[in-house]
C-alpha cells in the first residue's frame, strides 16, 4: 500500500526528548527484519517450549472415581432439620472462617465412605483458609486492618484522605488468589479486595457502609457474604419492613449498585395486618448470568434434601468431592498455544484460525496486538477446541505463514495487558548519516543508542495503533462510536482507499449503493471483518439499529479497539502539548506515579499524586514519574494548563458530556494513566557490513560496503518499538 502521508504529518509533529543527531536507515525491509516475541507475566519468552501456563489445569480424575458411585437416591437424611439446601449448591460459610468443603485429595475411599455412613466421630475440623495461605504476620496485620476500619466506622470517624489500603502481597498462583479473594470477603464483608498484577489489595467496602445506613449491620454483613458466594438459584431476604419509603430506598440501593448481577422483589409476610403490612425484600441472582451454560447431570437433580448437625458437613464434602471429579472429567478445556505469524494482520489471522477450527473470532483471547509486517510470537487461548484439532490444522495454516506450538489445556482465557512486555530483534538496513551531517556514522549510532538507554523516549502510541489507511484512521471510527453515530462508524469502516484492488472496489460499490449482499459477492474471503459486518448489514439493514447489530459481529476486543485508538490519539497530542508547554520540568498540577515499578497502564487513582507548589520548588519528582490520563470515565486530569487542554479537545470533538460508555455496544472505557517517558531494557546491538557488488566496467568489480544494525531490546507492555526507534534515529518512518 502507498505510504500514508497524512499520518506522516501527524506523527512528525510529535516531539523528541533526547538531543543527539541520529541517523537514517530502513526498517522492515522484510518481516524477518522485525521479530517480536511476547514476554509473559513470569518474564519468559513465549516462543520457548514450556510446560507451565497462566493457571493450573484441573487434576485428572483418579481411580477413586471409578471404584464407587455416589447414590443420591439412597442417601439418608434426618427429618425435622431447619437446614434445607440443594444437593449441589448447598455449601454454607461460617461467619468467621471460610469452610473448606472439599474432601482432602489424600483421603482414602474408606475414610470418605465412613463419613457417608455416619461413623465419623467428632466435629469436622474447619480450615482457616487465610491462616493457610497467608503467613502469620500478614494474617495478623489483616485482622488489625479490619478492626481499625470497623472502629473508625463505629466511632463515626470519617476516613481522611484517600481510602486506606492493605496489601496481602503478590500471589503468583491464580487459584490461590481466587480463594484468597473469596476468603477475605467472606470473613470481612465490610472489606473489598482488588487484584493488581498478582497482588491482592484490601480496602474498605464503602458500599457496605452505605447499606448500613439503610439496614442493620447484621443484614449488611450477611448480604455481602451472599453476593460474594454467588450460589446459583439462591436468595437473600432482608428483614420485614412496614415503611414503604424505606423499602424503596433499599430497592434503589441494591439495583443501582448491583442491578446487573441481582434483582429485587417485595413480598408480604404470610400473615400480616392488611392495614399495616410487613413486606420483605428478597434478592436473587439474575438468570441471564447462567442461561448459556449447559445443565449438568448434577444440576438436573432438582430435589431438595435435608441435613442436620454433623451430617451437613459430611455430605457436603462427599458431594463436592464427586462434583470436582465430574467437572475435571467432563469440562471442555480451553487450549493455550503460542502463535507465530509472518506478515499477517492480527485480526486476519484470527479470522482464518476461527474458520479452520470451526469457532468464532471471539473464542480467542490474547494479551496484546502485534505488528503486521513482522514475525511475531504471542500467547493465545481458544475456547472449545481440543489439542488434536489445533494440531490437525498445522499444514493448512502454514500456507498463511502461521504456526502454532506449545499447545496445552488451561482453565482461563487471556485478557488484554496480561503480559510483562515484548522482546524485539530488529535489523535496520542501509544506514547513513542525516543530511548535512559529516560525522562518523558508527559514532553517531553508538551515541544515539546510549542516549536513549539513559534518557528514554517519549512513550507515544505507535502508528499501527491507528491503521495505515490514507483516508480513514481507526481513531476516527472510535470517535464516531463514542458519539453513538453507528451508521457513520460503519461508513468510515467501509471507506475505500484510492487503490484499484478487489477490496477497495467492493468498498466503493457499497458506499455508492449500500447493497450489502452485492458487496459480499465482491469482497474477498480473507477480509473476515468486512465480510462479517456486511453479512450482518444484509440481515438487519443499513439503519441505526442494523449498524448496532453489525458492530456486534465483531468481538468485544475489536469493538473497543477503535475507541481505544481515539483515546490514544488524544494522549499523543496531550504529551506533545505537555512537553511544548513545560518541557522536562515537573510542575504544580502535574500527575505523577507513586509506584516505581509500573510496567503497564493499569494502576489506580490511589497510585497517582497531584504535584503541589512546594513539591515543584523542591524538585521532589522526576520527569519519568509524570503520567497523563488516557481518556475514560474513571480518571482525573492534571490541575494545570494540560487539564484545560483536555477539556478544550473534548469540546472540539463534541465529547464534553461523554461518559466514555457506549451501552448499545456494551463498551465501558474506565481510562488509565500512561507514563510520558519509557526506557528500553536489556539493550544489545551489533553493526554488520553488507557487501554489494557494483559492476563499473566490463571485467571490473568494485565492492561497496553498507552498514546494517542488529538491535535487540525489551519494552514494557503497550510500548512501541517503532516509537523507540524513532527516538534513536531521529527519523520518521
Amino acid at each position: 500500500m502507498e505510504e500514508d502521508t497524512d499520518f506522516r504529518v501527524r506523527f512528525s509533529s510529535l516531539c523528541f526528548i533526547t538531543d543527539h543527531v541520529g541517523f537514517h536507515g530502513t526498517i522492515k525491509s522484510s518481516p524477518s527484519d522485525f521479530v517480536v516475541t511476547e514476554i509473559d507475566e513470569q518474564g519468559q519468552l513465549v516462543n520457548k517450549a514450556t510446560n507451565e501456563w497462566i493457571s493450573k489445569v484441573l487434576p485428572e480424575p483418579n481411580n477413586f472415581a471409578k471404584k464407587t458411585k455416589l447414590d443420591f437416591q439412597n442417601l439418608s437424611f434426618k427429618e425435622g432439620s431447619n437446614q434445607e439446601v440443594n444437593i449441589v449448591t448447598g455449601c454454607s460459610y461460617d461467619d468467621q472462617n471460610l469452610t473448606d468443603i472439599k474432601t482432602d485429595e489424600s483421603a482414602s475411599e474408606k475414610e470418605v465412605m465412613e463419613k457417608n455412613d455416619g461413623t465419623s466421630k467428632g466435629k469436622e475440623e474447619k480450615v482457616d483458609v487465610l491462616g493457610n495461605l497467608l503467613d502469620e504476620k500478614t494474617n495478623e496485620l489483616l485482622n488489625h486492618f479490619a478492626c481499625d476500619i470497623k472502629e473508625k466506622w463505629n466511632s463515626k470517624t470519617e476516613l481522611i484522605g484517600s481510602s486506606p489500603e492493605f496489601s496481602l502481597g503478590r500471589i503468583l498462583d491464580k487459584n490461590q488468589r481466587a480463594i484468597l479473594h473469596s476468603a477475605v470477603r467472606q470473613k470481612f464483608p465490610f472489606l473489598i479486595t482488588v487484584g493488581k498484577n498478582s497482588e491482592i489489595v484490601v480496602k474498605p467496602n464503602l458500599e457496605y457502609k452505605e447499606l448500613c445506613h439503610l439496614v442493620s449491620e447484621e443484614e449488611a454483613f450477611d448480604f455481602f457474604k451472599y453476593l460474594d458466594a454467588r450460589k446459583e438459584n439462591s436468595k437473600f431476604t432482608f428483614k420485614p419492613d412496614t415503611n414503604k419509603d424505606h423499602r424503596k430506598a433499599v430497592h434503589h440501593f441494591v439495583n443501582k449498585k448491583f442491578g446487573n448481577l441481582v434483582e429485587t422483589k417485595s413480598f408480604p409476610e404470610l400473615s400480616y395486618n392488611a392495614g399495616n403490612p410487613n413486606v420483605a425484600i428478597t434478592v436473587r441472582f439474575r438468570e441471564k448470568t447462567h442461561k448459556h451454560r449447559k445443565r449438568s447431570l448434577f444440576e438436573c437433580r432438582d430435589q431438595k434434601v435435608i441435613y442436620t448437625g454433623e451430617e451437613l458437613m459430611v455430605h457436603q464434602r462427599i458431594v463436592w468431592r464427586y462434583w470436582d471429579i465430574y467437572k475435571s472429567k467432563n469440562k471442555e478445556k480451553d487450549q493455550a498455544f503460542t502463535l507465530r505469524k509472518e506478515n499477517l494482520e492480527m485480526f486476519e489471522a484470527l479470522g482464518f484460525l476461527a474458520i479452520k477450527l470451526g469457532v468464532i473470532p471471539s473464542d480467542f483471547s490474547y494479551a496484546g496486538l502485534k505488528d503486521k509486517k513482522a514475525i511475531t510470537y504471542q500467547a493465545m487461548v481458544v475456547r472449545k477446541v481440543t489439542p488434536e484439532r489445533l494440531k490437525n490444522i498445522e499444514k493448512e495454516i502454514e500456507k498463511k505463514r502461521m504456526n502454532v506450538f506449545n499447545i496445552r489445556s488451561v482453565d482461563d482465557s487471556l485478557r488484554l495487558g496480561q503480559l510483562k512486555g515484548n522482546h524485539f530483534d530488529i535489523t535496520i538496513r542501509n544506514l547513513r548519516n542525516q543530511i548535512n551531517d559529516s560525522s562518523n556514522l558508527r559514532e553517531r549510532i553508538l551515541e544515539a543508542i546510549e542516549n536513549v538507554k539513559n534518557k528514554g523516549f517519549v512513550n507515544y502510541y505507535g502508528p499501527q495503533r491507528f491503521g495505515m489507511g490514507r483516508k480513514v484512521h481507526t481513531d476516527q471510527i472510535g470517535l464516531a462510536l463514542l458519539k453513538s453515530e453507528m451508521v457513520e462508524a460503519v461508513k468510515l469502516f467501509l471507506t475505500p482507499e484510492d487503490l484499484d484492488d478487489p477490496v477497495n472496489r467492493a468498498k466503493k460499490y457499497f458506499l455508492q449503493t449500500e447493497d450489502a449482499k452485492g458487496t459480499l459477492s465482491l469482497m474477498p474471503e480473507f477480509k473476515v471483518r468486512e465480510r462479517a459486518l456486511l453479512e450482518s448489514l444484509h440481515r438487519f439493514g443499513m439503519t441505526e439499529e442494523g449498524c448496532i447489530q453489525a458492530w456486534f459481529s465483531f468481538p468485544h476486543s475489536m469493538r473497543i479497539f477503535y475507541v481505544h485508538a481515539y483515546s490514544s490519539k488524544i494522549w499523543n497530542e496531550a504529551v506533545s502539548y505537555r512537553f511544548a508547554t513545560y518541557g522536562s520540568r515537573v510542575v504544580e498540577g502535574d500527575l505523577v506515579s507513586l509506584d516505581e515499578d509500573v510496567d503497564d497502564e493499569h494502576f489506580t487513582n490511589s497510585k497517582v499524586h497531584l504535584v503541589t507548589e512546594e513539591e515543584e520548588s523542591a524538585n521532589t519528582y522526576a520527569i519519568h514519574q509524570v503520567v497523563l490520563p488516557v481518556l475514560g470515565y474513571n480518571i482525573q486530569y492534571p490541575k494545570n494548563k494540560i487539564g484545560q487542554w483536555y477539556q478544550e479537545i473534548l469540546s472540539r470533538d463534541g465529547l464534553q458530556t461523554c461518559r466514555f460508555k457506549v451501552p448499545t455496544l456494551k463498551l465501558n472505557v474506565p481510562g488509565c494513566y500512561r507514563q510520558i517517558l519509557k526506557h528500553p531494557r536489556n539493550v544489545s546491538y551489533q553493526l554488520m557490513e553488507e557487501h554489494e557488488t557494483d559492476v563499473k566496467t566490463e571485467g571490473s568489480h568494485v565492492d561497496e560496503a553498507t552498514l546494517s544494525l542488529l538491535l535487540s531490546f525489551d519494552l514494557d507492555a503497550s510500548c512501541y518499538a517503532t516509537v523507540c526507534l524513532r527516538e534513536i534515529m531521529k527519523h520518521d518512518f
Side-chain angles (χ1 to χ4, degrees), residues 2-58:
E2 189 176 341
E3 188 174 32
D4 173 17
T5 54
D6 175 61
F7 187 79
R8 281 180 57 84
V9 171
R10 293 205 295 170
F11 202 67
S12 62
S13 66
L14 307 182
C15 64
F16 296 102
I17 193 65
T18 51
D19 56 5
H20 61 267
V21 175
F23 54 92
H24 278 282
T26 305
I27 67 168
K28 297 188 177 183
S29 297
S30 69
S32 60
D33 282 352
F34 205 91
V35 181
V36 187
T37 308
E38 207 168 75
I39 305 171
D40 66 22
E41 288 186 308
Q42 287 71 44
Q44 302 297 314
L45 297 176
V46 300
N47 64 340
K48 305 298 182 185
T50 179
N51 293 320
E52 298 178 357
W53 190 237
I54 309 156
S55 58
K56 293 180 179 178
V57 180
L58 283 173

Side-chain angles (χ1 to χ4, degrees), residues 18 161 400 507 534 628 633:
T18 51
K400 293 287 286 186
K507 288 181 176 181
L534 288 166
L628 285 177
Y633 61 78

Side-chain angles (χ1 to χ4, degrees), residues 413-528:
S413 299
L414 281 165
R415 67 178 188 280
L416 287 172
Q418 193 177 348
L419 72 163
K420 194 172 183 67
N422 293 286
H423 173 76
F424 297 89
D425 293 299
I426 298 170
T427 301
I428 307 173
R429 301 189 186 277
N430 304 316
L431 297 174
R432 56 197 183 279
N433 287 95
Q434 298 277 19
I435 297 173
N436 299 325
D437 178 23
S438 59
S439 299
N440 182 279
L441 178 58
R442 292 175 183 268
E443 292 178 0
R444 285 295 192 214
I445 294 169
L446 176 62
E447 172 195 38
I449 295 173
E450 291 300 321
N451 213 7
V452 173
K453 275 175 63 177
N454 296 326
K455 295 182 180 179
F457 59 94
V458 184
N459 191 24
Y460 289 117
Y461 289 98
Q464 57 267 52
R465 186 82 165 193
F466 310 101
M468 298 306 291
R470 298 185 65 189
K471 288 192 173 181
V472 175
H473 297 290
T474 53
D475 58 271
Q476 295 171 266
I477 299 172
L479 176 58
L481 293 178
L482 281 171
K483 295 167 77 171
S484 293
E485 297 173 352
M486 300 302 167
V487 175
E488 175 65 15
V490 166
K491 288 181 178 179
L492 286 170
F493 181 80
L494 292 174
T495 296
E497 298 294 331
D498 293 328
L499 297 170
D500 188 24
D501 58 44
V503 173
N504 287 291
R505 284 197 294 269
K507 288 181 176 181
K508 185 176 181 180
Y509 173 79
F510 178 80
L511 289 190
Q512 291 172 342
T513 64
E514 293 189 0
D515 174 13
K517 185 177 181 180
T519 307
L520 265 172
S521 65
L522 299 174
M523 186 65 68
E525 291 289 336
F526 71 90
K527 300 301 287 184
V528 178

